[in-house]
Amino acid sequence: VRPAVSVDAGSVDQSDPVSMVFRKLPGVSASGMGLRLSQKFVFLLFLSGLVTLCFGALFFLPDSVRLKRIFLDRKPVVSREATEERLAGGKALEDLSLSRSRAESVSERATVVDHHGADTDTFSYAKFKRCLLKPPLGRDYGKPSDPNTNERREKVKEMMKFAWDNYKLYAWGKNELRPLTRNGHLGNMFGGLKGASIIDSLDTLYIMGLMDEYNDAKEWVQTSLDLNSNGEASLFEVNIRYVGGLLSAYYLTGEEVFKSKVLELGEKLLPAFNTPTGIPRGVINLGSGTSWSWGWASAGSSILAEFGTLHLEFVHLSELSANPIYTEKVMNIRKLLNKIEKPHGLYPNFLSPVSGNWVQHHVSIGGLGDSFYEYLIKSFLMSDKTDGDAKKMYYSALEAIEANLVQKSPGGLTYMAEWRGGILDHKMGHLACFSGGMIGIGADDGVPEKRQHYLDLAAEITHTCHESYTRSATKLGPEAFRFDGGGEATATRLSDRYYILRPEVIESYMYMWRLTHDPKYREWGWEAVEALEQHCRVEAGFSGIRDVYTTTASHDNMQQSFFLSETLKYLYLLFSDDDLLPLEDWVFNTEAHPLPIIRKSCLQDEKQHEM
């Protein structure tokens, strides 16, 4: 230890940082600050520790996102590498300056369009309506001439009114109704957004002519739909339910409130795409813009059915906003998928948003994969059949599916197996039953010699899914059914026996009816109505059941919002004339929200005509 050394004012080392610090303190002279070297060392050690602690708290504490933004948002340029996740599979918090600057650019570009391109670029609802081939609601809301069919349709309408009235009575403003306990449920999928059942019901109420109920829903959107939430939301669920529901409501009614709300919400989803590859992560905080992957997803991967189920809605967001950024985001996804190698032409369910590589080789036409394929053919149809890239991807994928996944059971049932690294799992989920309708609507646009083959395949898969219903005691289908162990089209595991008011089987009935007018599809739909009434209707709404193989119902106490959006809508359309939401003009998103076909040539002709 060195001896103490006195220091006078004239001997202060001007290069000594400690002395210089104290000289800058007001009212303190250097002569009064004689410090030993050991004291200087302790002071410097304390000061460096304090700085380290402050910056450590700023960058690594879980709730430090807002503090980061105070500093980082001021930087004009942020490297993309800085946004990579610190832990694979964890909540990879994004550097928000990039997302903020991009979100601001959305507003700026939209403002430029509003002020400088109003006559040429902004969306005209009147032009859009003139480009439809037929009135959206048909001659008389699609009322069928056959009295028996109309009676069945009226029954479905009554079911919708019953489900809606109980939701309004017991769960108004919440996301879903719990009919047994007669209260509302918010859940954790929507990031603090509320009213999922309201948004999901807007178009169903409108096409059914339930105008008092529709007006109540519209008023709630005007006065109570708060998009300034700060919770953790599923990008996929918010997109298909809220964005899809608001888009559909706008296109059907022309009400500006739906347009303004959906454009506000769409902008909040953009930060999810701020990844090294542009593949969005599955979860986003709608308030802060941070995003991360699902904790259960392999190695922090994104899910094929989630990032692949954005195209329809985002293209329409660009149409309404006159801002190409939404279309650019989804086209970038497609570009990456086209570039990477696909095992046997198949698309696995998990993809890393950091590396752009497949994480594991699990392929399913059911959960995790399903709506990606649906959106390929529907993107082609929605483009007025001009999106040749979507067409090529769809038919190439369908060829690979037929070669690797489509199977025939010993009993003659056609089904879609799952593929796990080359090994088939002979299971088909309820979610995969949409594929009958998908293959049906795409039958006309493949190679001509395969048209009938595709229609036959669609009919066979729809028949198999119907069998999964008829082979249960309740005449409702299980969550998944198998084709091994001696059973066919039945659930062999207790965990697969439940039914949560899902629509996919009825969806395929509706499409197959429209395509073939075979009366069996309406009969099968009526069987489903009777089963729903008998086993799922309770005193205050509709509830899923835990076991379709017993008639002693055990209800799950949840009236899903998709029951109002999809199941009842598809049933209503099944018993309506084809001119109610005609397929020549409309494509349904995966939540059954109708979106119009975009006829660019017509819209351009309208523009030139006005000039």
Side-chain angles (χ1 to χ4, degrees), residues 236-264:
F236 167 77
E237 296 291 352
V238 169
N239 178 62
I240 66 171
R241 302 195 200 205
Y242 285 85
V243 176
L246 290 167
L247 283 171
S248 175
Y250 173 68
Y251 281 121
L252 287 171
T253 68
E255 294 284 354
E256 283 294 318
V257 62
F258 301 133
K259 177 182 173 182
S260 63
K261 289 288 186 181
V262 79
L263 293 181
E264 180 184 352

Side-chain angles (χ1 to χ4, degrees), residues 76-143:
V77 179
V78 178
S79 66
R80 171 166 283 188
E81 289 76 10
T83 67
E84 291 193 20
E85 50 197 1
R86 287 184 284 111
L87 293 173
K91 290 186 176 183
L93 296 180
E94 296 291 335
D95 184 330
L96 293 182
S97 60
L98 182 59
S99 65
R100 279 293 175 107
S101 63
R102 290 189 177 182
E104 287 166 6
S105 72
V106 174
S107 299
E108 290 168 1
R109 290 157 85 178
T111 302
V112 169
V113 168
D114 286 343
H115 290 293
H116 301 294
D119 294 332
T120 58
D121 294 327
T122 54
F123 182 84
S124 166
Y125 188 77
K127 293 177 188 174
F128 149 70
K129 289 294 289 285
R130 288 196 295 268
C131 288
L132 293 175
L133 300 179
K134 299 179 179 179
L137 301 182
R139 292 164 298 175
D140 185 18
Y141 285 87
K143 182 178 179 179

Side-chain angles (χ1 to χ4, degrees), residues 173-378:
K174 299 295 196 301
N175 284 323
E176 287 156 323
L177 165 68
R178 292 189 179 275
L180 300 185
T181 50
R182 304 189 184 201
N183 62 343
H185 170 72
L186 282 175
N188 56 5
M189 289 192 302
F190 306 118
L193 296 178
K194 297 180 181 179
S197 288
I198 297 174
I199 306 301
D200 256 351
S201 296
L202 282 163
D203 50 18
T204 308
L205 295 169
Y206 188 77
I207 68 168
M208 288 186 178
L210 294 169
M211 298 311 294
D212 289 342
E213 292 78 5
Y214 160 77
N215 285 322
D216 288 341
K218 183 181 73 171
E219 182 181 357
W220 184 89
V221 172
Q222 289 173 320
T223 60
S224 303
L225 177 57
D226 183 7
L227 301 178
N228 295 312
S229 64
N230 197 39
E232 303 169 0
S234 163
L235 173 67
F236 167 77
E237 296 291 352
V238 169
N239 178 62
I240 66 171
R241 302 195 200 205
Y242 285 85
V243 176
L246 290 167
L247 283 171
S248 175
Y250 173 68
Y251 281 121
L252 287 171
T253 68
E255 294 284 354
E256 283 294 318
V257 62
F258 301 133
K259 177 182 173 182
S260 63
K261 289 288 186 181
V262 79
L263 293 181
E264 180 184 352
L265 179 56
E267 192 169 316
K268 291 177 178 290
L269 301 181
L270 289 173
F273 293 82
N274 293 340
T275 65
T277 60
I279 298 293
R281 292 191 171 93
V283 189
I284 182 169
N285 185 304
L286 296 174
S288 68
T290 57
S291 66
W292 58 92
S293 299
W294 292 107
W296 51 265
S298 299
S301 57
S302 295
I303 312 302
L304 180 68
E306 296 193 341
F307 67 77
T309 309
L310 303 167
H311 199 101
L312 303 184
E313 296 84 358
F314 272 52
V315 167
H316 273 291
L317 287 174
S318 280
E319 283 293 308
L320 294 188
S321 66
N323 191 326
I325 191 169
Y326 301 100
T327 299
E328 289 168 2
K329 295 297 186 186
V330 291
M331 291 305 291
N332 181 67
I333 294 172
R334 187 186 289 179
K335 181 179 178 181
L336 185 144
L337 291 177
N338 272 326
K339 183 174 66 174
I340 60 177
E341 184 179 352
K342 290 164 277 293
H344 300 281
L346 297 168
Y347 292 82
N349 293 335
F350 298 99
L351 183 76
S352 168
V354 176
S355 69
N357 296 321
W358 303 117
V359 173
Q360 59 174 248
H361 288 181
H362 173 214
V363 178
S364 170
I365 311 304
L368 305 179
D370 49 7
S371 46
F372 162 72
Y373 305 97
E374 173 190 357
Y375 271 38
L376 289 179
I377 186 60
K378 288 183 175 179

Side-chain angles (χ1 to χ4, degrees), residues 382-517:
M382 196 180 79
S383 71
D384 199 21
K385 301 186 179 181
T386 62
D387 187 349
D389 196 32
K391 178 181 180 180
K392 180 180 177 182
M393 289 176 71
Y394 170 73
Y395 287 105
S396 295
L398 184 56
E399 184 177 337
I401 289 166
E402 282 204 79
N404 295 281
L405 304 183
V406 174
Q407 303 290 308
K408 183 85 76 172
S409 74
L413 297 178
T414 301
Y415 64 96
M416 300 269 199
E418 297 190 4
W419 192 82
R420 299 178 185 273
I423 300 173
L424 286 182
D425 183 7
H426 295 273
K427 176 186 79 170
M428 186 170 178
H430 194 293
L431 288 166
C433 284
F434 86 96
S435 59
M438 176 189 75
I439 295 169
I441 62 173
D444 271 350
D445 296 295
V447 293
E449 58 268 24
K450 278 199 152 187
R451 180 184 182 278
Q452 191 57 50
H453 165 74
Y454 287 140
L455 277 177
D456 291 342
L457 178 60
E460 289 170 15
I461 291 172
T462 305
H463 170 70
T464 297
C465 293
H466 174 250
E467 285 296 306
S468 77
Y469 275 49
T470 61
R471 297 183 186 198
S472 77
T474 58
K475 306 305 176 189
L476 294 167
E479 181 68 6
F481 45 93
R482 303 192 68 87
F483 296 87
D484 51 18
E488 292 190 3
T490 55
T492 57
R493 300 174 183 175
L494 289 175
S495 59
D496 290 336
R497 294 185 169 200
Y498 62 91
Y499 172 73
I500 57 171
L501 307 175
R502 286 205 187 276
E504 290 79 18
V505 175
I506 294 164
E507 174 183 353
S508 284
Y509 295 167
M510 189 280 292
Y511 281 119
M512 294 307 293
W513 163 256
R514 289 269 181 113
L515 295 169
T516 70
H517 287 166

